[in-house]
Amino acid sequence: MKKALFIDRDGTILIEPKTDFQVDSFEKFAFLPKSISNLAKIYQELDYEFVMVTNQDGLGTDSYPEDTFWPYQNKMLEILETEGIKFDDILIDRSFEHEGLESRKPGIGMMKRYLAGEYDLANSFVIGDRLTDVKLAQNLGAKAIFIGSSKAEGAALTTEDWDEIYTFLKQQKTSRRASIRRATSETDISIDLDLDGTGKMNINTGLGFFDHMLEQVAKHGKLDLTIQVKGDLHIDEHHTIEDTGLALGEAFLQALGDKRGISRYGFFLLPMDEVLAQVAIDFSGRPWTVWNADFRREKVGDMPTEMFFHFFKSFSDTAKANLNVRVEGDNEHHKIEAVFKGFARAIRMAVERNKGDNTIPSTKGIL
């Protein structure tokens, strides 16, 4: 789910005018100290959409003509864009406080689309210098960061320092983890996945060779991975292997979220003695599997070779990923182990975060 920062304008990004009048000269137009540099870091490094939410009392009336707002608004946005900061949405309420309109902060009349379930509001923040901003956060079901010298009740952070805001938000960054439980009449599977792990593993599927292959995924993918499976092995291995692939793919889909900031594509050529494996993956949102791997033995260890393709196809289906696998060589053990290691390395490349680019890697804007 998406997360957002709902950011006030005056007193938060721009220094609040010292009178009740709006800025009427560029000599009075100034940014809060360190707001630009920290907004840039937040935008580039953290996975928040930026939404400006501001009350501009009577904008467009005789007391507040349009030309006393837009030149300064546009100049502010222009300066921010030169530092790579763009707002996904800008919400401006023009009403007066005495009108009591729901569109005016702390009302949420302008913000209904953010309540439709697409946004993780519990991990989103309102940033502002007024108690109405704190109240807005409460009305949205979000958290508040209050810019001020005195403590604001209900705010997660009170500060006058944008450095502290950046540090606080960086600490809130949600790790890319997933926990999956898949229980059917044939298998009972629990998976815990951390994409930003170090290769820790705890894997028990009841099939020793399958465990060994999944350990390669954790080790070479630098994933923390726990897989516990109780399957109907008294019948055969099919359901255990297939359902583990389905559950693992589902875990990746959950952990990647909207895929903002990832490389998306991963590929690896892996030699293993006489074998060469080629694996490419695209977390595209569309499942597809291309498999060029032939095995002459019925089993490697206790794992049927016909199930190798089935595992990767199942993973591709639920991870919604394109997967292309090719391997050549003589030793069957080497061939499938090279495929699993290449798969892990391709994943490692694909899920890596791009420093300084927190966009979704698609011209469609969604994956």
Side-chain angles (χ1 to χ4, degrees):
M1 296 177 72
K2 301 176 183 178
K3 296 183 293 182
L5 296 181
F6 302 98
I7 306 172
D8 183 37
R9 176 182 182 267
D10 303 311
T12 301
I13 300 174
L14 296 178
I15 292 176
E16 188 90 53
K18 295 185 181 299
T19 71
D20 291 337
F21 301 101
Q22 298 298 320
V23 172
D24 57 5
S25 167
F26 278 108
E27 292 179 359
K28 301 177 184 178
F29 177 85
F31 288 83
L32 260 68
K34 299 181 287 187
S35 60
I36 297 177
S37 60
N38 282 291
L39 281 167
K41 289 193 292 185
I42 293 166
Y43 190 85
Q44 293 165 6
E45 298 176 18
L46 309 182
D47 54 344
Y48 295 100
E49 288 189 3
F50 277 22
V51 180
M52 184 180 295
V53 187
T54 178
N55 292 337
Q56 297 293 324
D57 299 17
L59 177 61
T61 64
D62 290 342
S63 62
Y64 189 3
E66 300 276 355
D67 61 6
T68 63
F69 173 76
W70 290 110
Y72 307 98
Q73 171 77 358
N74 292 335
K75 175 57 70 173
M76 176 192 68
L77 295 176
E78 178 185 326
I79 291 170
L80 293 174
E81 285 198 25
T82 64
E83 298 300 321
I85 304 161
K86 294 183 180 181
F87 282 85
D88 297 275
D89 201 1
I90 297 177
L91 305 174
I92 300 172
D93 179 70
R94 297 164 173 253
S95 70
F96 290 101
E97 185 176 4
H98 69 264
E99 296 178 76
L101 298 185
E102 179 62 14
S103 59
R104 181 184 175 86
K105 291 190 298 182
I108 58 174
M110 295 191 295
M111 310 174 72
K112 293 296 178 65
R113 80 178 189 90
Y114 296 99
L115 302 173
E118 187 179 352
Y119 287 82
D120 179 7
L121 292 175
N123 290 300
S124 297
F125 289 85
V126 176
I127 306 177
D129 68 319
R130 295 175 182 260
L131 294 180
T132 51
D133 295 304
V134 178
K135 181 63 176 176
L136 174 65
Q138 294 170 351
N139 290 343
L140 281 172
K143 302 172 187 176
I145 296 175
F146 181 70
I147 297 178
S149 57
S150 57
K151 181 72 175 176
E153 185 177 352
L157 173 69
T158 299
T159 182
E160 294 182 290
D161 188 343
W162 264 100
D163 283 344
E164 288 188 24
I165 295 174
Y166 164 71
T167 300
F168 176 80
L169 289 173
K170 189 173 183 179
Q171 292 170 346
Q172 307 304 306
K173 187 174 183 178
T174 304
S175 61
R176 299 183 297 172
R177 297 177 181 173
S179 294
I180 299 296
R181 173 76 185 278
R182 190 179 194 278
T184 71
S185 60
E186 298 165 340
T187 58
D188 188 350
I189 300 172
S190 296
I191 294 182
D192 293 312
L193 170 67
D194 185 351
L195 297 180
D196 302 305
T198 59
K200 297 177 183 176
M201 65 194 79
N202 181 12
I203 298 171
N204 182 10
T205 66
L207 298 168
F209 187 77
F210 193 28
D211 291 351
H212 182 50
M213 294 300 98
L214 293 171
E215 287 167 357
Q216 307 309 313
V217 176
K219 177 66 176 179
H220 293 278
K222 278 198 172 180
L223 313 168
D224 288 348
L225 184 60
T226 296
I227 301 178
Q228 299 296 316
V229 183
K230 295 179 181 178
D232 54 0
L233 294 176
H234 61 286
I235 297 175
D236 71 4
E237 306 88 353
H238 186 104
H239 298 142
T240 291
I241 297 168
E242 176 184 40
D243 290 3
T244 299
L246 292 170
L248 186 61
E250 187 179 347
F252 270 84
L253 184 67
Q254 184 183 110
L256 284 170
D258 66 3
K259 303 169 190 171
R260 185 179 296 273
I262 69 167
S263 293
R264 174 180 166 178
Y265 300 98
F267 46 89
F268 205 81
L269 283 174
L270 192 136
M272 186 170 180
D273 296 340
E274 86 293 352
V275 164
L276 182 65
Q278 170 186 290
V279 182
I281 193 166
D282 172 15
F283 286 101
S284 62
R286 303 180 305 275
W288 197 271
T289 306
V290 176
W291 181 261
N292 289 287
D294 295 319
F295 295 90
R296 296 182 299 274
R297 285 164 52 184
E298 180 182 353
K299 283 190 173 185
V300 177
D302 51 3
M303 189 172 177
T305 54
E306 68 178 4
M307 291 304 298
F308 295 155
F309 166 75
H310 210 57
F311 167 78
F312 287 106
K313 173 67 164 57
S314 297
F315 174 90
S316 169
D317 285 347
T318 52
K320 296 184 179 180
N322 293 174
L323 184 61
N324 193 302
V325 177
R326 180 184 299 272
V327 65
E328 56 187 31
D330 297 320
N331 185 285
E332 306 294 80
H333 184 126
H334 290 170
K335 284 162 65 176
I336 193 56
E337 185 166 341
V339 167
F340 269 91
K341 287 178 176 177
F343 174 65
R345 290 282 177 158
I347 284 175
R348 182 170 162 182
M349 178 187 293
V351 304
E352 184 179 14
R353 286 187 170 110
N354 291 316
K355 188 175 181 181
D357 182 359
N358 196 42
T359 61
I360 293 173
S362 171
T363 55
K364 294 190 294 292
I366 188 171
L367 287 173

